Amino acid sequence: MAARAPLAMPHAAASAGPRPAAAPVAPRPPAMCLRARAMVGVSLLHQRPAQRARRRLLPAARPGAIGSAAEAAPAEGLAQKLQGVEVFDLSGKAVPIVDLWKDRKAVIAFARHFGCVLCRKRADLLAEKQDVMQAAGVALVLIGPGSVDQAKAFCEQTKFKGEVYADPTHSSYDALEFAFGLFSTFTPAAGLKIIQLYREGYRQDWELSFEKNTRTKGGWYQGGLLVAGPGIENILYIHKPRAAASYAESLRSKLRPDASILATLRSLASASASASSSKSKAAAKSLADHDPSADPTSSYIVVADQDSSSVTSRINRLVLAAARSILSGRGFSFAVPSRAASNQVYLPDLDRIVLVRRESARPFANVATARKATVTARVLSLVHAVLRRGIHVTKRDLFYTDVKLFGDQSQSDAVLDDVSCMLGCTRSSLHVVASEKGVVVGRLVFADDGDRIDCTRMGVGGKAIPPNIDRVSGIESDALFILLVEKDAAFMRLAEDRFYNRFPCIILTAKGQPDVATRLFLRRLKVELKLPVLALVDSDPYGLKILSVYMCGSKNMSYDSANLTTPDIKWLGVRPSDLDKYRVPEQCRLPMTDHDIKVGKELLEEDFVKQNEGWVKELETMLRTRQKAEIQALSSFGFQYLTEVYLPLKLQQQDWI
């Protein structure tokens, strides 16, 4: 094991990101929403003082709320916040807002803006309850963020017969901390409701809504409802839309100091190192049970790294055997291990997919297999030439040596895997590699073909993972964990924010479906550094499939799963349960397609998924809600929310499976 020596890397303080923008809030259907709220107001005002006091001590009711889109806020302390706040009646007279309920019972509705088509509909609905509220001794009041002239126009254009006041500086909205912002006001759901109301005959008054003083002083505020009186301090209830970002900010306040989170990570790293040592011994024993070199009659194929001379000798023996067969008049044939799906099995004791030992003949003298036998011979010839020269080539290079014979690169790639199985060596032992795809950044230093690479100095793009892992040496790190990221976009966010300096880690990604080099590199880091690996993938079936390839291998390369898999990866996020837990807005979630659902159900049937109860629960949640989301959905709370809140909170709570 390489020592994790402290590196000369500055621990940069996390940059303070912008305040998360208010997330869009879907308005509740007007008829249900305001009727419920108005009736709540009347019922509250009829309660006895003791009942009101008890209600303040209980969790606030949320009539008219939809999930996390609205909240019934505590009323304590609101009167003090509203002291000095004034609104204006239709004559232009300033009125302290607390006077509206000082001597009477009142339900005060706050409009979005005076020209809002939704508010006009709601005003009509409240007007229908005017008689009921008057009979109950309850005053009905409406306040809007606009000028007195706009308030007058609103009264003339609607059926609302209650009291109307203007708040041109939206001071009451600020004091009550109502949600605001363009994207909070104009949401897809609001747009659909506006279309519905237009069909009912309602119209938006654009000039009334978007005069300069409205647009710059409160035109994008959300409204709410306040129930109070008599008595200035006697505020019984307040209902207001809740921007998702307000909940995000509340999560930020739950974060403990970084030192506390780092202590948790050190404990995790220490436990991982101990577990790695014990599991290595157990794995070695289990592997011996399946290793062909120990037992030639083993039921499974397990390939291993071999040097160039060993692979060359094996190719020579294959060719000589074919030559003898031709000279004896039998033609030639290759015995190729079958890599059919039916031959791929999951072994729980090894926690990976392996290839069952079953061979099929590929004779040249058979019309059905003549071409494939020719391609196999050609690939063996090319690999032999590459090994003799001591160079490495890409799979693309190999394909272009004989395009007409191969026809398509997928055919030469498939035969290359067949050759690895036939020779019992890893594909990298053939000196044929894939193009660079994966990248790494963070608290890692290693030598690449003798050149020292410091991954803290690789910028936002990171260091490309070498396609030939054999040239990597001298791995050093003071990281506490490895963060495996599915996509390049999240990787760039983490790299730009220098997340690895705040929480010492190594961050790597294969930019989607993992390639062989990235899988080999991850396994090598895990084995040599004995660090825990935490994974950040999309909350969809494909994110889980990608994670499963890293953990227990792919069926396409099951013959090399011993070298390519990294067991014990912890699924950090984004998990299906996180969508509600972190209140990801509905407009940032995507409906699962029929194909998504099919893939999800297939995953539930996989043996390696059944072994993990947490995975099963998360997949069942995904299929039940039929919703998926990408990592970037967290950007709805702010572009740096991923690095400043979500991941730190996950690490603090040790919230992984």
Side-chain angles (χ1 to χ4, degrees), residues 61-133:
R62 299 172 68 181
I66 308 175
S68 62
E71 65 179 336
E76 290 83 354
L78 288 182
Q80 185 175 358
K81 290 183 179 180
L82 291 168
Q83 289 292 337
V85 174
E86 293 182 331
V87 292
F88 297 85
D89 64 17
L90 298 183
S91 68
K93 178 183 176 182
V95 178
I97 191 171
V98 294
D99 285 358
L100 298 179
W101 61 84
K102 180 173 66 173
D103 301 316
R104 60 180 180 174
K105 306 171 185 177
V107 173
I108 299 99
F110 292 82
R112 290 184 172 201
H113 45 86
F114 285 120
C116 174
V117 65
L118 296 171
C119 295
R120 288 162 183 266
K121 172 67 175 181
R122 293 172 180 177
D124 287 351
L125 291 171
L126 284 172
E128 294 175 5
K129 301 299 178 183
Q130 181 78 12
D131 294 340
V132 177
M133 298 186 75

Coordinates of all heavy atoms in Angstrom, one line a residue, residues 61-133:
A61 N -51.3 24.1 10.7 CA -52.0 23.4 9.6 C -51.7 24.0 8.3 O -51.2 25.1 8.2 CB -53.5 23.5 9.9
R62 N -51.9 23.3 7.2 CA -51.5 23.8 5.9 C -52.6 23.6 4.9 O -52.5 23.0 3.9 CB -50.3 23.0 5.4 CG -49.1 23.2 6.4 CD -48.0 22.3 6.0 NE -47.4 22.7 4.7 CZ -46.4 22.0 4.1 NH1 -45.9 21.0 4.7 NH2 -45.9 22.4 3.0
P63 N -53.8 24.2 5.2 CA -54.9 24.2 4.2 C -54.5 24.9 2.9 O -53.9 25.9 3.0 CB -56.0 24.9 4.9 CG -55.3 25.8 5.9 CD -54.1 25.1 6.3
G64 N -54.8 24.3 1.8 CA -54.5 24.9 0.6 C -53.1 24.7 0.1 O -52.7 25.1 -1.0
A65 N -52.2 24.0 0.9 CA -50.8 23.8 0.5 C -50.7 22.6 -0.4 O -51.5 21.7 -0.2 CB -49.9 23.7 1.7
I66 N -49.8 22.6 -1.2 CA -49.5 21.5 -2.1 C -48.1 21.0 -1.8 O -47.1 21.6 -2.2 CB -49.6 21.8 -3.6 CG1 -50.9 22.5 -3.9 CG2 -49.4 20.6 -4.4 CD1 -51.1 22.9 -5.3
G67 N -47.9 19.9 -1.1 CA -46.6 19.4 -0.8 C -45.7 20.5 -0.1 O -46.1 21.1 0.9
S68 N -44.6 20.8 -0.8 CA -43.7 21.8 -0.2 C -43.9 23.1 -0.9 O -43.1 24.0 -0.7 CB -42.3 21.3 -0.4 OG -42.0 21.2 -1.8
A69 N -44.9 23.3 -1.7 CA -45.1 24.5 -2.4 C -45.6 25.7 -1.5 O -45.5 26.8 -1.9 CB -46.0 24.3 -3.6
A70 N -46.1 25.4 -0.3 CA -46.7 26.4 0.5 C -46.4 26.0 2.0 O -46.2 24.8 2.3 CB -48.1 26.6 0.2
E71 N -46.6 27.0 2.9 CA -46.4 26.7 4.3 C -47.2 27.5 5.1 O -47.6 28.7 4.8 CB -44.9 26.9 4.7 CG -44.4 28.3 4.5 CD -43.0 28.5 5.0 OE1 -42.5 27.6 5.7 OE2 -42.4 29.5 4.6
A72 N -47.7 27.0 6.2 CA -48.4 27.7 7.3 C -47.3 28.2 8.3 O -46.8 27.3 9.0 CB -49.5 26.9 7.9
A73 N -46.9 29.4 8.2 CA -45.8 29.9 9.0 C -46.2 30.2 10.4 O -47.4 30.5 10.7 CB -45.1 31.1 8.4
P74 N -45.3 30.1 11.4 CA -45.7 30.5 12.8 C -46.0 31.9 12.8 O -45.4 32.8 12.1 CB -44.4 30.1 13.6 CG -43.6 29.2 12.7 CD -44.0 29.5 11.3
A75 N -47.0 32.3 13.6 CA -47.4 33.7 13.7 C -46.7 34.5 14.7 O -46.8 35.7 14.7 CB -49.0 33.7 14.0
E76 N -46.0 33.9 15.6 CA -45.3 34.6 16.7 C -44.3 35.6 16.1 O -43.5 35.2 15.2 CB -44.6 33.6 17.7 CG -45.6 32.8 18.5 CD -46.1 31.6 17.8 OE1 -45.8 31.4 16.6 OE2 -46.8 30.8 18.5
G77 N -44.3 36.8 16.7 CA -43.3 37.8 16.2 C -43.6 38.5 15.0 O -42.9 39.5 14.6
L78 N -44.7 38.2 14.3 CA -45.0 38.9 13.0 C -45.5 40.3 13.3 O -45.1 41.2 12.5 CB -46.1 38.1 12.3 CG -45.7 36.8 11.7 CD1 -46.9 36.2 10.9 CD2 -44.5 37.0 10.7
A79 N -46.2 40.5 14.4 CA -46.7 41.9 14.6 C -45.5 42.8 14.8 O -45.6 44.0 14.3 CB -47.6 41.9 15.9
Q80 N -44.5 42.4 15.5 CA -43.3 43.2 15.7 C -42.6 43.5 14.3 O -42.2 44.7 14.1 CB -42.4 42.6 16.6 CG -41.1 43.4 17.0 CD -40.3 42.7 18.0 OE1 -40.6 41.7 18.5 NE2 -39.2 43.4 18.4
K81 N -42.6 42.5 13.4 CA -42.0 42.7 12.1 C -42.8 43.8 11.3 O -42.2 44.5 10.5 CB -41.9 41.4 11.4 CG -40.9 40.4 11.9 CD -40.9 39.2 11.0 CE -39.9 38.2 11.5 NZ -39.8 37.0 10.7
L82 N -44.1 43.8 11.6 CA -44.9 44.7 10.8 C -45.1 46.1 11.3 O -45.7 46.9 10.7 CB -46.3 44.0 10.6 CG -46.4 42.8 9.8 CD1 -47.7 42.1 9.9 CD2 -46.1 43.1 8.3
Q83 N -44.5 46.3 12.5 CA -44.6 47.7 13.1 C -43.9 48.7 12.2 O -42.8 48.4 11.7 CB -43.9 47.7 14.5 CG -44.6 46.9 15.6 CD -45.9 47.6 15.9 OE1 -46.1 48.9 15.7 NE2 -46.9 46.9 16.5
G84 N -44.6 49.8 11.9 CA -44.0 50.8 11.0 C -44.3 50.6 9.5 O -44.1 51.5 8.7
V85 N -44.9 49.4 9.2 CA -45.2 49.1 7.8 C -46.6 49.8 7.5 O -47.6 49.6 8.3 CB -45.3 47.6 7.5 CG1 -45.9 47.4 6.1 CG2 -44.0 47.0 7.7
E86 N -46.6 50.5 6.4 CA -47.9 51.2 6.1 C -48.3 50.8 4.7 O -47.5 50.5 3.8 CB -47.7 52.7 6.1 CG -47.4 53.3 7.4 CD -47.3 54.8 7.4 OE1 -46.8 55.4 6.3 OE2 -47.6 55.5 8.4
V87 N -49.7 50.8 4.5 CA -50.3 50.6 3.2 C -51.2 51.8 3.0 O -51.4 52.6 3.9 CB -51.1 49.3 3.2 CG1 -50.2 48.1 3.3 CG2 -52.1 49.2 4.3
F88 N -51.7 51.9 1.8 CA -52.5 53.1 1.4 C -53.9 52.7 0.9 O -54.0 51.8 0.1 CB -51.8 53.8 0.3 CG -50.4 54.4 0.7 CD1 -49.3 53.6 0.7 CD2 -50.3 55.7 1.2 CE1 -48.1 54.0 1.1 CE2 -49.1 56.1 1.7 CZ -47.9 55.3 1.6
D89 N -54.9 53.4 1.5 CA -56.3 53.1 1.0 C -56.5 53.8 -0.3 O -55.6 54.5 -0.9 CB -57.3 53.6 2.1 CG -57.3 55.1 2.3 OD1 -56.8 55.8 1.5 OD2 -57.8 55.5 3.4
L90 N -57.7 53.7 -0.8 CA -58.0 54.2 -2.2 C -58.0 55.7 -2.3 O -57.9 56.3 -3.4 CB -59.4 53.6 -2.7 CG -59.4 52.1 -2.8 CD1 -60.8 51.7 -3.3 CD2 -58.3 51.6 -3.7
S91 N -58.0 56.4 -1.1 CA -57.9 57.8 -1.2 C -56.5 58.3 -1.1 O -56.2 59.5 -1.2 CB -58.7 58.4 0.0 OG -58.1 58.1 1.3
G92 N -55.6 57.4 -0.9 CA -54.1 57.7 -0.8 C -53.7 57.9 0.6 O -52.5 58.3 0.8
K93 N -54.5 57.6 1.6 CA -54.2 57.8 3.0 C -53.3 56.7 3.5 O -53.7 55.5 3.3 CB -55.4 58.0 3.8 CG -55.1 58.1 5.3 CD -56.4 58.2 6.1 CE -56.2 58.2 7.6 NZ -57.4 58.2 8.4
A94 N -52.2 57.0 4.2 CA -51.4 55.9 4.7 C -52.0 55.3 6.0 O -52.5 56.1 6.9 CB -50.0 56.5 5.1
V95 N -52.0 54.0 6.1 CA -52.7 53.3 7.2 C -51.7 52.3 7.7 O -51.2 51.4 6.9 CB -54.0 52.6 6.7 CG1 -54.6 51.8 7.9 CG2 -55.0 53.5 6.1
P96 N -51.3 52.3 9.0 CA -50.5 51.3 9.5 C -51.1 49.9 9.3 O -52.3 49.7 9.6 CB -50.4 51.6 11.0 CG -50.7 53.1 11.1 CD -51.7 53.3 10.0
I97 N -50.4 49.0 8.8 CA -51.0 47.7 8.4 C -51.6 47.0 9.7 O -52.6 46.3 9.5 CB -50.0 46.8 7.7 CG1 -50.7 45.6 7.1 CG2 -48.9 46.3 8.6 CD1 -49.9 44.7 6.2
V98 N -51.0 47.1 10.8 CA -51.5 46.5 12.0 C -52.9 47.0 12.4 O -53.6 46.3 13.2 CB -50.5 46.5 13.2 CG1 -49.2 45.8 12.9 CG2 -50.2 48.0 13.5
D99 N -53.2 48.2 12.0 CA -54.5 48.8 12.3 C -55.7 48.1 11.6 O -56.8 48.2 12.0 CB -54.6 50.3 11.9 CG -53.8 51.2 12.9 OD1 -53.2 50.6 13.9 OD2 -53.7 52.4 12.6
L100 N -55.3 47.3 10.6 CA -56.4 46.6 9.8 C -57.0 45.5 10.7 O -58.2 45.1 10.4 CB -55.8 46.0 8.6 CG -55.2 47.0 7.5 CD1 -54.6 46.2 6.3 CD2 -56.3 48.0 7.1
W101 N -56.4 45.1 11.7 CA -57.0 44.1 12.6 C -56.9 44.5 14.1 O -57.2 43.6 15.0 CB -56.3 42.7 12.4 CG -54.9 42.6 12.7 CD1 -54.3 42.4 13.9 CD2 -53.8 42.8 11.7 NE1 -52.9 42.4 13.8 CE2 -52.6 42.6 12.4 CE3 -53.7 43.0 10.4 CZ2 -51.3 42.7 11.8 CZ3 -52.5 43.0 9.7 CH2 -51.3 42.9 10.5
K102 N -56.5 45.7 14.4 CA -56.4 46.1 15.8 C -57.7 46.0 16.5 O -57.7 45.6 17.7 CB -55.8 47.6 15.8 CG -55.6 48.1 17.2 CD -54.9 49.4 17.2 CE -55.9 50.5 16.6 NZ -55.3 51.9 16.7
D103 N -58.8 46.4 15.9 CA -60.1 46.5 16.6 C -61.1 45.6 16.0 O -62.3 45.7 16.3 CB -60.6 48.0 16.5 CG -59.7 48.9 17.2 OD1 -59.1 48.6 18.3 OD2 -59.4 50.0 16.6
R104 N -60.7 44.6 15.2 CA -61.7 43.8 14.5 C -61.0 42.5 14.1 O -59.8 42.3 14.1 CB -62.3 44.5 13.3 CG -61.2 44.8 12.3 CD -61.8 45.5 11.1 NE -60.8 45.9 10.1 CZ -61.0 46.4 8.9 NH1 -62.3 46.6 8.5 NH2 -60.1 46.7 8.1
K105 N -61.9 41.6 13.7 CA -61.4 40.3 13.1 C -61.2 40.6 11.6 O -62.1 41.2 11.0 CB -62.4 39.2 13.3 CG -62.8 39.0 14.7 CD -64.0 38.0 14.8 CE -64.5 37.8 16.2 NZ -65.6 36.9 16.3
A106 N -60.1 40.1 11.0 CA -59.9 40.3 9.6 C -59.2 39.2 8.9 O -58.3 38.5 9.5 CB -59.1 41.6 9.4
V107 N -59.5 38.9 7.7 CA -58.8 38.0 6.8 C -58.2 38.9 5.7 O -58.9 39.6 5.0 CB -59.7 37.0 6.2 CG1 -58.9 36.2 5.1 CG2 -60.2 36.0 7.2
I108 N -56.8 39.0 5.7 CA -56.1 39.8 4.7 C -55.5 39.0 3.7 O -54.6 38.1 4.0 CB -55.0 40.7 5.4 CG1 -55.7 41.6 6.5 CG2 -54.3 41.5 4.4 CD1 -55.6 41.0 7.9
A109 N -55.9 39.2 2.4 CA -55.4 38.4 1.3 C -54.3 39.3 0.6 O -54.6 40.5 0.4 CB -56.4 38.0 0.3
F110 N -53.2 38.8 0.3 CA -52.1 39.5 -0.4 C -52.1 39.0 -1.9 O -51.8 37.8 -2.1 CB -50.8 39.3 0.3 CG -50.7 39.9 1.6 CD1 -51.2 39.3 2.7 CD2 -50.1 41.2 1.8 CE1 -51.1 39.8 4.0 CE2 -50.0 41.7 3.1 CZ -50.5 41.1 4.2
A111 N -52.3 39.9 -2.8 CA -52.3 39.6 -4.2 C -50.9 39.5 -4.8 O -49.9 40.1 -4.2 CB -53.1 40.6 -5.0
R112 N -50.7 38.8 -5.9 CA -49.4 38.8 -6.5 C -49.1 40.2 -7.1 O -48.1 40.7 -6.9 CB -49.4 37.8 -7.7 CG -49.4 36.3 -7.3 CD -49.3 35.4 -8.5 NE -49.2 34.0 -8.1 CZ -48.6 33.1 -8.9 NH1 -48.2 33.5 -10.1 NH2 -48.5 31.9 -8.5
H113 N -50.1 40.7 -7.9 CA -50.0 42.0 -8.4 C -51.4 42.4 -8.9 O -52.2 41.5 -9.2 CB -49.0 42.2 -9.5 CG -48.9 41.2 -10.5 ND1 -49.7 41.2 -11.6 CD2 -48.2 40.0 -10.6 CE1 -49.5 40.1 -12.4 NE2 -48.6 39.4 -11.8
F114 N -51.7 43.6 -9.0 CA -53.1 44.0 -9.3 C -53.6 43.6 -10.7 O -54.8 43.5 -10.9 CB -53.3 45.5 -9.2 CG -53.3 46.0 -7.7 CD1 -52.4 46.9 -7.2 CD2 -54.3 45.5 -6.9 CE1 -52.4 47.3 -5.9 CE2 -54.3 45.9 -5.6 CZ -53.4 46.8 -5.1
G115 N -52.7 43.3 -11.6 CA -53.1 42.9 -13.0 C -53.2 41.4 -13.2 O -53.5 40.9 -14.2
C116 N -52.8 40.6 -12.1 CA -52.7 39.2 -12.2 C -54.0 38.5 -12.5 O -55.0 38.7 -11.8 CB -52.1 38.6 -10.9 SG -52.1 36.9 -10.8
V117 N -54.1 37.7 -13.6 CA -55.3 37.1 -13.9 C -55.7 36.0 -12.9 O -56.9 35.8 -12.6 CB -55.2 36.4 -15.3 CG1 -54.1 35.3 -15.3 CG2 -56.5 35.8 -15.8
L118 N -54.8 35.4 -12.2 CA -55.1 34.5 -11.2 C -55.7 35.2 -10.0 O -56.6 34.7 -9.3 CB -53.8 33.7 -10.7 CG -53.1 32.8 -11.8 CD1 -51.8 32.4 -11.3 CD2 -54.0 31.6 -12.1
C119 N -55.1 36.3 -9.6 CA -55.7 37.1 -8.5 C -57.1 37.6 -8.8 O -57.9 37.7 -7.8 CB -54.7 38.3 -8.1 SG -53.1 37.7 -7.6
R120 N -57.4 37.9 -10.0 CA -58.7 38.4 -10.4 C -59.7 37.2 -10.1 O -60.8 37.4 -9.7 CB -58.7 38.8 -11.8 CG -58.0 40.2 -12.0 CD -57.6 40.5 -13.4 NE -56.9 41.7 -13.4 CZ -57.4 42.9 -13.7 NH1 -58.7 43.0 -13.9 NH2 -56.7 44.0 -13.7
K121 N -59.4 36.1 -10.5 CA -60.2 34.9 -10.3 C -60.4 34.7 -8.8 O -61.5 34.4 -8.3 CB -59.6 33.7 -11.0 CG -60.3 32.4 -10.7 CD -61.7 32.3 -11.3 CE -62.3 30.9 -11.0 NZ -63.7 30.8 -11.6
R122 N -59.4 34.8 -8.1 CA -59.4 34.6 -6.6 C -60.2 35.7 -5.9 O -60.9 35.4 -5.0 CB -58.0 34.4 -6.0 CG -57.3 33.2 -6.5 CD -55.9 33.2 -6.1 NE -55.2 32.0 -6.6 CZ -53.9 31.7 -6.5 NH1 -53.1 32.6 -5.9 NH2 -53.4 30.6 -6.9
A123 N -60.1 36.9 -6.4 CA -60.9 38.0 -5.9 C -62.4 37.7 -6.1 O -63.2 38.0 -5.2 CB -60.5 39.3 -6.6
D124 N -62.8 37.2 -7.2 CA -64.2 36.8 -7.4 C -64.6 35.7 -6.5 O -65.8 35.7 -6.0 CB -64.4 36.4 -8.9 CG -64.3 37.5 -9.9 OD1 -64.3 38.7 -9.4 OD2 -64.3 37.3 -11.1
L125 N -63.8 34.7 -6.2 CA -64.1 33.7 -5.3 C -64.3 34.2 -3.9 O -65.2 33.8 -3.2 CB -63.0 32.6 -5.4 CG -62.9 31.8 -6.7 CD1 -61.7 30.9 -6.7 CD2 -64.2 30.9 -6.9
L126 N -63.4 35.1 -3.5 CA -63.6 35.7 -2.2 C -64.8 36.5 -2.1 O -65.5 36.6 -1.0 CB -62.3 36.6 -1.8 CG -61.1 35.8 -1.5 CD1 -59.9 36.7 -1.4 CD2 -61.2 35.1 -0.1
A127 N -65.2 37.2 -3.2 CA -66.4 38.0 -3.2 C -67.6 37.2 -2.9 O -68.6 37.6 -2.3 CB -66.5 38.8 -4.5
E128 N -67.6 35.9 -3.4 CA -68.7 35.0 -3.2 C -68.9 34.7 -1.7 O -70.0 34.4 -1.3 CB -68.5 33.7 -4.0 CG -68.5 33.9 -5.5 CD -68.2 32.6 -6.2 OE1 -68.0 31.5 -5.5 OE2 -68.0 32.6 -7.4
K129 N -67.9 34.8 -0.9 CA -67.9 34.6 0.5 C -68.1 35.8 1.3 O -68.0 35.8 2.6 CB -66.7 33.8 0.9 CG -66.5 32.5 0.2 CD -67.6 31.5 0.5 CE -67.4 30.2 -0.3 NZ -68.6 29.3 -0.1
Q130 N -68.3 36.9 0.7 CA -68.4 38.2 1.4 C -69.5 38.2 2.4 O -69.3 38.6 3.6 CB -68.6 39.4 0.4 CG -68.7 40.7 1.0 CD -67.3 41.3 1.4 OE1 -66.3 40.7 1.0 NE2 -67.3 42.3 2.2
D131 N -70.7 37.7 2.0 CA -71.8 37.8 2.9 C -71.6 36.9 4.1 O -71.9 37.2 5.3 CB -73.1 37.3 2.2 CG -73.5 38.3 1.1 OD1 -73.1 39.5 1.2 OD2 -74.2 37.9 0.2
V132 N -71.0 35.7 3.9 CA -70.7 34.8 5.0 C -69.8 35.4 6.0 O -69.9 35.3 7.2 CB -70.1 33.4 4.4 CG1 -69.8 32.5 5.6 CG2 -71.1 32.8 3.5
M133 N -68.7 36.1 5.5 CA -67.7 36.6 6.3 C -68.3 37.8 7.1 O -68.0 38.1 8.3 CB -66.5 37.0 5.5 CG -65.9 35.8 4.9 SD -64.3 36.1 4.0 CE -63.2 36.3 5.4

